[in-house]
Amino acid sequence: MELTEIAEIEIDILLDAIRRRYDYDFSHYARSSLKRRITGLLIKEKLDMPYQLIPRILYDEQVFNRFLSELSVTVTEMYRDPEFFLGLVESIFPVLDTYPYFKIWHAGCATGEEAYSLAILLKEAGLLNRAKIYATDYNNKSLDIAKKGLYNAGNIEANNKSYLKAGGKQCFSDYYTKQYDAIKFDDELRNTITFAYHNLVKDGVFGEMNLIICRNVFIYFDNELQNDVLRLFNESIINKGFLCLGNKETIRFSILKDKYDPLSERNSIYRKKY
Ligand SMILES: C[S@@+](CC[C@H](N)C(=O)[O-])C[C@H]1O[C@@H](n2cnc3c(N)ncnc32)[C@H](O)[C@@H]1O
């Protein structure tokens, strides 16, 4: 048996140990990216083979937390893919405007920039006071940052450019106060968003959502897990509600392909048929 095949067995045993010890199931994460993350952790922990991680993770929760951080790629930014946000404003906001009250779920929100980006655009459209936004992730460290609404001021120029490209009508600086080298979003925005723990692999439905946004999360899942999560989203979205995925993600080959109309394939914006 090749060394690489043996390493695969070690990874399977490691994942089983994590599932039994910490109730996190990574068995349906895309294998190639999972292997890259495990290799990254091995380097950081100064270890050679995946089996060496097993006792460390089983007996030391800190090592598991480092594993979780390595696996949950928290890369995000304000108005990531501004064109997508413009698509939201143009194709979904007019429909949201017909409801007296509506609910939005950002699943896999990381450190929250995406949720604040949307809240600002809703405010400018006069829709924020009718919105309830839930933003969830399974990484508590990221959620702590999101709840504070405190971000590095170094990115402001880039953020402002993306905000304008996304259809922002005022000035990005209207929505935060500067605190030394950080910016803090206004209470009105922070109070509209509820940041909460939710693990897409095992936790349940979020009811009666008008819109679910889950971008750049499916790329880490295999087909089976993608379909399981799409089933969960489908149960959570009201009739004629909307689903948005990342630009590299699609429902075209999934169990939902006949249940949703594509409003924009390029921006992965879909509408539930009934
Ligand atoms: C690359 S970030 C995407 C952030 C944001 N949606 C964006 O597009 O900028 C992926 C996020 O998915 C989260 N994630 C991965 N697996 C998850 C799971 N099973 N349940 C909830 N969140 C998960 C990670 O913690 C991470 O914050």
Side-chain angles (χ1 to χ4, degrees), residues 91-102 127 130 210 238 240 242 271:
S91 56
I92 299 184
F93 279 19
V95 180
L96 295 180
D97 199 13
T98 63
Y99 293 100
Y101 168 79
F102 56 86
L127 295 173
R130 284 188 260 160
N210 297 76
I238 62 162
K240 298 296 224 173
F242 298 92
R271 187 167 196 191

Side-chain angles (χ1 to χ4, degrees), residues 104-110 114 134-138 198 200 211-218 229 232-233 244:
I104 298 172
W105 177 16
H106 282 270
C109 67
E114 190 177 54
Y134 300 91
T136 63
D137 204 282
Y138 77 162
H198 183 280
L200 289 165
L211 163 63
I212 294 181
I213 300 172
C214 182
R215 308 183 67 234
N216 307 303
V217 179
F218 275 32
V229 177
L232 174 80
F233 288 165
C244 302

Side-chain angles (χ1 to χ4, degrees), residues 26 29 71-77 80 107-111 114 136-139 142 198-201 214-217 219-221:
F26 294 106
Y29 275 56
L71 237 84
S72 69
V73 183
T74 56
V75 179
T76 187
E77 63 188 48
R80 183 177 191 177
C109 67
T111 38
E114 190 177 54
T136 63
D137 204 282
Y138 77 162
N139 183 331
S142 297
H198 183 280
N199 185 344
L200 289 165
V201 175
C214 182
R215 308 183 67 234
N216 307 303
V217 179
I219 41 174
Y220 302 104
F221 295 170

